[in-house]
Amino acid sequence: QVQLVESGGGLVQAGGSLRLSCVASGNFFSINAMGWYRQAPGKQRDMVAGINSGGRTEYADFVKGRFTISRDNAKNTVYLQMNSLKPEDTAVYYCAADIKEYSDSHYFDDYWGQGTQVTVSS
């Protein structure tokens, strides 16, 4: 069984910061890519940032220069440092990970966390 649990969401004023964390737990062999997505009410789920096993990062244009994704492989954790938050950043933020459950698996399975609410007031 594999679980992803996000934390760190909350209410913050525009211009403020939040740091999201996502911990993968359970029995698995390895984690490849990890990332963050967000979804506002009535909107599609958008990729925010991703990081592969080698530490290469990718960001959506709307967060470049403001958000930073990082990971701690020893802790099976991915972080999203969000600075200079804007009201339009308000959304449920979801952690995602590509996880290889067994050493003899030929692919990574996609897992999602339950989401954490981020609300940015003006």
Side-chain angles (χ1 to χ4, degrees):
Q1 299 294 316
V2 180
Q3 294 186 85
L4 299 179
V5 180
E6 303 100 331
S7 62
L11 175 64
V12 65
Q13 293 183 339
S17 298
L18 285 173
R19 185 174 186 255
L20 306 183
S21 299
C22 172
V23 180
S25 63
N27 296 317
F28 53 85
F29 181 72
S30 64
I31 303 174
N32 187 20
M34 304 186 79
W36 291 93
Y37 292 72
R38 73 186 190 188
Q39 187 169 26
K43 304 292 184 179
Q44 68 178 21
R45 185 173 297 186
D46 294 322
M47 191 276 289
V48 176
I51 184 168
N52 70 10
S53 60
R56 180 178 177 179
T57 59
E58 186 73 22
Y59 297 93
D61 288 341
F62 51 81
V63 303
K64 285 182 178 178
R66 300 189 297 122
F67 292 8
T68 302
I69 188 170
S70 61
R71 65 190 290 172
D72 186 334
N73 292 333
K75 297 180 179 179
N76 295 320
T77 301
V78 62
Y79 306 95
L80 186 67
Q81 178 66 47
M82 305 186 294
N83 299 325
S84 301
L85 283 162
K86 306 174 181 179
E88 51 263 45
D89 294 320
T90 296
V92 176
Y93 283 71
Y94 296 91
C95 173
D98 297 328
I99 296 178
K100 189 175 185 179
E101 295 185 60
Y102 307 100
S103 62
D104 57 351
S105 295
H106 298 304
Y107 58 91
F108 290 78
D109 295 318
D110 297 329
Y111 288 88
W112 293 85
Q114 81 291 158
T116 184
Q117 177 70 48
V118 172
T119 302
V120 184
S121 62
S122 60

